[in-house]
Amino acid sequence: MTGYDATLPRSEADVVIVGGGIAGCALAYHLAMAGTDVLLLERGSINREASGTNAGSFHLQLAIHQLSGKGTAADHDRLLADARLSLEADRLWDKLSGELDGDLGVHRTGGWMVAETEDQLRTLYEKHELEEQAGIETEVVTGAALRSRAPYLAGNLLGATYCPAEGHANPLVVAPLYAKRAQEAGATIATGVEVTGIDRQPDSAGGRFVIRTSGGDLRAHRVVNCAGAWSGRLADMVGLRFPVRSEGLHVNVSERRPRMFEPMIQHIGRRLTLKQTEVGTFIIGGGWPTGTSTHRRYPTLWSSAAGNLAVALDVVPTLADVRIVRTWSGVIVFTDDFSPIVGESEQVPGFFACVASTGFTFSPLLARQLAERMLDPATASGFPQRYSLDRVSH
């Protein structure tokens, strides 16, 4: 369903989750499995936005979108914490297909992150030290050793970091399977319902929030903002300001070719993720921006797609005669301070959020941690202060 005229299946719930991507569906699953009364609202269709339009990469190495440009020393504590979070997320993904009883298309291919300049190579060495401290297995490979191990990479690359645990999953099936298991556990999912406003009623016995939607009004004791790129708009409805911005991004898919390489390939200084799938197609992404969004969708631009492909060719020149057969635009959310937004607001009790830039990798873990916090706040571990919903004031 893509319209916004569906009616609400009921008029009240204990927990209302807004957003039907991987974060919202995973949270609904964990809460419903514990017997919580959950209603998930999605204005379009489940997995239609960022969670279903990304390339499905597992980012265990510290990547370009996590770097502030100030150097790893300046961001040491945050980057080390992010690396440890990556390792914990990796352990969750290892068991997720079994937990959800379904094939998520998880493939551990290993991954290279390449450097073209001396500064980029220095960054690889610096972040390797952080990854090693966090317990992530990586190694920096240069010169003849790199040519021998990865002959498909361009000869002018100065070096690359290899991480054997990296890989990918199928972004088309993960959130829908979470949603299916959530419904089986008793959660209600309503698609085609857009949230237009949230009124706070802290003294009301019927619920602390009245949620205005395109399908009618809804009362809830707790609200969780899992709206990703649109989370800032939802926060505004309760008087909070989230440090978020969003960008449209391109993903390109090629024709099938015989196996050229197995590992995922990323770039430490330029936007690129590149992988060859099990059926032989190449998926080329990395966050190349698209034009301005219209009607909630981002357009595909040839200039951006061409720029993305040019970086891929600079890194793997043998792709030159491979034909692109499909391109699309998704969306990604960034936080201004490079930290997730997870937990409960102190300024607006009962209002929660689960928003992360590296959402496909981190969201299953953050959603599970948030569920634990919501179910038993007295014993569950709290979130770092830098995750706070209240860290930016109007």
Side-chain angles (χ1 to χ4, degrees), residues 333-350:
V333 61
F334 294 102
T335 57
D336 294 339
D337 55 10
F338 302 93
S339 294
I341 305 172
V342 189
E344 180 179 12
S345 170
E346 293 183 2
Q347 297 179 28
V348 186

Side-chain angles (χ1 to χ4, degrees), residues 321-340:
D321 66 342
V322 175
R323 293 179 296 180
I324 296 298
V325 297
R326 186 157 54 99
T327 184
W328 70 85
S329 293
V331 63
I332 188 171
V333 61
F334 294 102
T335 57
D336 294 339
D337 55 10
F338 302 93
S339 294

Side-chain angles (χ1 to χ4, degrees), residues 22-281:
I22 190 171
C25 293
L27 181 62
Y29 162 75
H30 288 294
L31 292 176
M33 288 290 288
T36 304
D37 173 33
V38 180
L39 171 58
L40 185 150
L41 302 178
E42 165 55 47
R43 69 182 183 186
S45 300
I46 294 298
N47 205 43
R48 182 67 181 86
E49 303 294 349
S51 297
T53 57
N54 71 94
S57 304
F58 293 151
H59 290 284
L60 300 185
Q61 297 188 63
L62 294 167
I64 183 174
H65 64 272
Q66 294 170 278
L67 304 179
S68 68
K70 300 176 182 177
T72 56
D75 295 324
H76 176 275
D77 291 347
R78 174 180 63 81
L79 291 173
L80 181 58
D82 283 354
R84 288 171 172 158
L85 187 69
S86 295
L87 192 60
E88 194 172 352
D90 177 59
R91 297 190 187 107
L92 184 151
W93 274 102
D94 242 2
K95 301 177 181 179
L96 194 55
S97 291
E99 179 180 348
L100 297 180
D101 190 23
D103 183 4
L104 300 179
V106 175
H107 295 276
R108 300 291 184 174
T109 61
W112 290 106
M113 184 171 290
V114 305
E116 291 180 281
T117 69
E118 292 290 351
D119 284 345
Q120 291 170 4
L121 184 60
R122 188 178 306 111
T123 299
L124 289 186
Y125 279 111
E126 291 173 353
K127 76 181 192 67
H128 164 68
E129 293 181 7
L130 287 168
E131 291 155 356
E132 197 171 50
Q133 288 181 52
I136 299 173
E137 181 183 352
T138 61
E139 59 176 320
V140 181
V141 185
T142 61
L146 181 60
R147 312 291 171 248
S148 175
R149 291 177 56 177
Y152 43 83
L153 294 177
N156 65 325
L157 295 175
L158 297 186
T161 307
Y162 183 73
C163 176
E166 287 189 315
H168 59 272
N170 187 344
L172 300 180
V173 301
V174 181
L177 187 56
Y178 264 126
K180 180 179 181 181
R181 298 295 180 246
Q183 287 179 305
E184 292 171 350
T188 303
I189 295 178
T191 57
V193 177
E194 183 175 23
V195 174
T196 57
I198 302 176
D199 298 333
R200 298 167 58 189
Q201 296 188 324
D203 300 323
S204 172
R208 285 184 284 189
F209 302 94
V210 174
I211 303 168
R212 312 292 182 188
T213 83
S214 57
D217 291 350
L218 169 67
R219 290 186 176 274
H221 291 282
R222 293 176 284 179
V223 176
V224 190
N225 183 348
C226 294
W230 296 271
S231 59
R233 299 180 191 175
L234 205 70
D236 286 342
M237 295 178 186
V238 296
L240 296 178
R241 180 184 172 194
F242 280 6
V244 296
R245 57 186 174 83
S246 62
E247 286 185 8
L249 53 87
H250 274 288
V251 181
N252 306 281
V253 179
S254 78
E255 63 183 342
R256 299 185 182 191
R257 285 296 182 91
R259 177 62 54 187
M260 185 182 298
F261 55 83
E262 187 74 15
M264 177 173 67
I265 300 170
Q266 303 174 76
H267 201 301
I268 190 56
R270 302 165 71 186
R271 290 186 175 188
L272 175 69
T273 61
L274 169 62
K275 63 180 73 73
Q276 189 171 15
T277 68
E278 295 66 46
V279 299
T281 59

Side-chain angles (χ1 to χ4, degrees), residues 247-250 288-294 297-301 304 329:
E247 286 185 8
L249 53 87
H250 274 288
W288 273 76
T290 65
T292 304
S293 65
T294 56
R297 307 305 306 170
Y298 284 83
T300 54
L301 298 180
S304 189
S329 293

